[in-house]
Amino acid sequence: MTQPIRVLIVDDEPLARARLKELLSEEPDMAVIGECRDGNEAIDAIGRQRPDLVLLDVQMPEPDGFGVLRAVSREHQPAVIFVTAHRDFAVQAFEANALDYLLKPFDQERFRRSLSRVRERRRTGATELDAELVERLESLSSRLSPAPERYATRLVAKVGWRMRFLRVEDIDYLEAEGNYVCVHQGKQSFLTRETMNAVEEKLDPRDFVRIHRSLIVRLDRVEEVEPLAPGEMVLTLRDGTKLTSGRSYRARLQRALDLPS
């Protein structure tokens, strides 16, 4: 006999936990093994009980749902379905390897479609998101973007079989790397398959400036500029990173940073 799928419910709202428990009672192959009211309880319960599936609220007392996953070791991470009332968390849920996300309020049919992904994952051992979920997430991401603008608010990078949405405001600088552009965000970096010229056209020149044929920098990350001869400059970013500009980009850099000629 197949073992039931062991489910942990994590939500800071008692009525929400009761609703999930009620829905799960209609699923004979699902067994609720516990309920948690906050992130710390969830981290402890996942470590002790090793559930197969966690129905995880996003917004709750610290840490939130994403913080819970960051705190759980990779080898102990269960399948996750995020449950949230906020559409703008969907992309983050996708990045966090969730099998699905449920937007409150949802009906039993929607809940069952979500559980079907868990069953299929268990049956096949699949490691990729299904096409329907990818399509819905991409569509939602587009709808969440501000009204159409000339400049992008995010770039897309591929990380393994996932797509990573990179907020432009979080970018420190971009660097050409073969046929890709390497996007640097703090200590992380991601590859996006676009040319430097294509990426430059997407970025607001009020926020970014190209300082070399292979470098674009976010202006508010520049902390210090040191002129070099002949015509080059060394830019020191807030995190200590040093970038050297090309001679042919000196004039545009001076204009962008309002430097004397």
Side-chain angles (χ1 to χ4, degrees):
M1 180 177 177
T2 304
Q3 292 295 317
I5 295 172
R6 303 165 65 252
V7 185
L8 180 69
I9 298 172
V10 181
D11 199 304
D12 63 338
E13 298 179 4
L15 290 178
R17 295 198 302 273
R19 170 67 173 153
L20 289 170
K21 196 170 182 179
E22 177 186 0
L23 290 171
L24 285 166
S25 70
E26 301 294 321
E27 308 298 326
D29 61 339
M30 301 280 166
V32 176
I33 61 170
E35 301 176 34
C36 301
R37 299 166 297 178
D38 58 44
N40 286 322
E41 285 187 5
I43 293 168
D44 179 64
I46 292 171
R48 286 187 296 101
Q49 297 179 275
R50 307 287 175 81
D52 302 309
L53 169 66
V54 177
L55 300 179
L56 184 59
D57 189 15
V58 174
Q59 282 194 312
M60 56 185 176
E62 291 290 337
D64 64 11
F66 300 114
V68 169
L69 290 190
R70 286 193 294 270
V72 175
S73 63
R74 299 292 295 180
E75 62 268 24
H76 295 159
Q77 277 198 6
V80 174
I81 295 174
F82 276 103
V83 182
T84 176
H86 301 277
R87 289 178 178 271
D88 53 353
F89 287 119
V91 171
Q92 287 176 267
F94 181 40
E95 294 174 359
N97 294 339
L99 284 181
D100 203 354
Y101 64 95
L102 291 171
L103 288 171
K104 300 176 184 177
F106 51 84
D107 58 21
Q108 188 171 44
E109 181 182 353
R110 176 66 184 88
F111 184 68
R112 282 180 169 166
R113 288 206 308 272
S114 192
L115 293 183
S116 71
R117 291 194 168 90
V118 180
R119 296 184 178 106
E120 183 65 12
R121 176 66 64 92
R122 180 184 241 202
R123 185 182 69 82
T124 64
T127 58
E128 295 188 0
L129 300 182
D130 62 78
E132 179 196 350
L133 179 57
V134 171
E135 183 177 347
R136 286 197 297 110
L137 282 161
E138 289 178 331
S139 174
L140 182 57
S141 173
S142 298
R143 295 202 304 273
L144 290 175
S145 297
E149 297 177 346
R150 179 181 174 188
Y151 302 111
T153 58
R154 66 181 71 194
L155 300 179
V156 180
K158 192 170 183 181
V159 182
W161 48 269
R162 294 176 292 137
M163 288 180 296
R164 180 88 176 211
F165 297 93
L166 310 175
R167 296 192 308 172
V168 166
E169 62 198 66
D170 295 333
I171 295 173
D172 298 321
Y173 68 101
L174 305 96
E175 183 177 18
E177 191 167 308
N179 295 323
Y180 297 83
V181 171
C182 185
V183 182
H184 295 270
Q185 291 183 331
K187 294 182 179 179
Q188 293 184 297
S189 60
F190 305 93
L191 290 178
T192 179
R193 187 154 194 170
E194 295 191 77
T195 65
M196 286 294 282
N197 288 339
V199 171
E200 183 181 18
E201 289 180 1
K202 292 182 177 183
L203 299 175
D204 191 334
R206 293 169 297 183
D207 298 321
F208 291 87
V209 62
R210 190 162 183 175
I211 66 168
H212 191 279
R213 61 186 178 83
S214 62
L215 288 170
I216 298 173
V217 66
R218 187 172 178 90
L219 291 167
D220 64 6
R221 299 301 199 269
V222 179
E223 190 170 78
E224 184 177 284
V225 177
E226 179 185 355
L228 294 179
E232 296 178 345
M233 295 185 183
V234 175
L235 282 64
T236 303
L237 308 189
R238 291 190 311 206
D239 65 357
T241 298
K242 293 184 182 296
L243 305 173
T244 302
S245 68
R247 290 194 296 268
S248 61
Y249 293 86
R250 182 185 180 94
R252 74 167 70 181
L253 180 55
Q254 287 175 321
R255 287 194 301 270
L257 292 174
D258 197 23
L259 297 173
S261 300

